[in-house]
Every structure is written in structure tokens, then in C-alpha cells.
Amino acid sequence: REAKTGARSVVLSAHEPDFAAVVCDRVAFLVDGECRVADEPARLVARVGGGARIEIRFVGGAPPDTTALAAKPGVLDDVLPTDGGLLLRVGDVSSALPAALGWLLEGGARIERVEIREPSLEDAFFELTGRQLVSEDA
């Protein structure tokens, strides 16, 4: 942070998007040694669109087929499979959450966790590269 205030450049390698979003003026997403995209953190997040994210994790890690869920017009902007779950991009959480959970539960899904949040730099990485960040614990 001190170097950031001076007239210096620092190259930092990090796997913590929240840290990079706070500390870095520019962020580059590298995949297999190739720079896929580079920009200011806020601009990267803006590129993937606004709206809340609903992340749903399933017991056993296997999400159900999302074909019917994605077909519900006006409820979900996008349904993206993740390791062990689904990431739903929604405009209106209050209508999307009950619809999505109802469909999943009716289909026999066993839900482990639901998290509602605003888009993040990690979402930008996932949506712009097609890859998930892998935690060091995995």
C-alpha cells in the first residue's frame, strides 16, 4: 500500500481477489501463462454486469440439470455451473431466490449453503476466463 502512494510500480502475484481489489490499481487475469484480460478492478467487475449473485452449494457437490431453471423467463439472468454448485446472476433477489430454491428442492436437490452477494473480482475472473480460482486449501 505504501508503494502504491509513491511513483513506483509493483508487480504482485495473488490468488486472493478481495486483497487484489483493494491494493491494486490494475489487475491481470492469467490463465495457463497467458494474460486473458487486464484492467482496473472496478472495471473488470463492471464488465460482468450488475445484479446480485446467488451461490448455491449442494450436499455431495452435484448440482441438478439446470435446463429447466435457466428457462424461467424474467427470473434468472444466467445460471453458471461451479465446482459443487451453481452461480445464479439475478436482477431481483426477492423473486429469483424463491423460484430457484423451489425448483431445486422440487427436483430433489439437497442444498448445503446459499450465499447472496454483489459481484466481485472473483466473479469477474470466473466469467471472463471460464475458470474458477482454486483455493490453496483445495
Side-chain angles (χ1 to χ4, degrees):
R1 289 184 185 168
E2 290 173 19
K4 183 177 175 179
T5 61
R8 296 180 256 173
S9 294
V10 175
V11 176
L12 171 70
S13 174
H15 288 90
E16 297 294 331
D18 294 337
F19 174 75
V22 171
V23 174
C24 301
D25 294 324
R26 291 183 54 81
V27 173
F29 293 156
L30 304 176
V31 176
D32 297 329
E34 177 185 322
C35 180
R36 296 282 176 97
V37 63
D39 208 338
E40 298 171 12
R43 290 178 57 155
L44 289 169
V45 172
R47 286 179 63 173
V48 299
R53 289 348 188 222
I54 301 173
E55 185 174 351
I56 302 173
R57 299 295 232 177
F58 299 94
V59 174
D65 176 30
T66 60
T67 308
L69 181 61
K72 290 183 180 280
V75 176
L76 303 174
D77 296 336
D78 204 2
V79 178
L80 305 165
T82 65
D83 291 338
L86 296 173
L87 181 65
L88 313 177
R89 292 191 318 177
V90 301
D92 179 19
V93 173
S94 63
S95 63
L97 184 60
L101 291 178
W103 177 81
L104 290 167
L105 293 171
E106 287 171 17
R110 294 180 49 218
I111 297 170
E112 182 177 285
R113 184 182 78 206
V114 176
E115 180 183 337
I116 301 168
R117 58 186 166 70
E118 291 301 311
S120 68
L121 195 57
E122 185 171 356
D123 293 316
F125 182 86
F126 175 60
E127 293 180 36
L128 294 172
T129 68
R131 301 268 186 100
Q132 282 188 274
L133 289 173
V134 179
S135 75
E136 293 179 7
D137 298 335

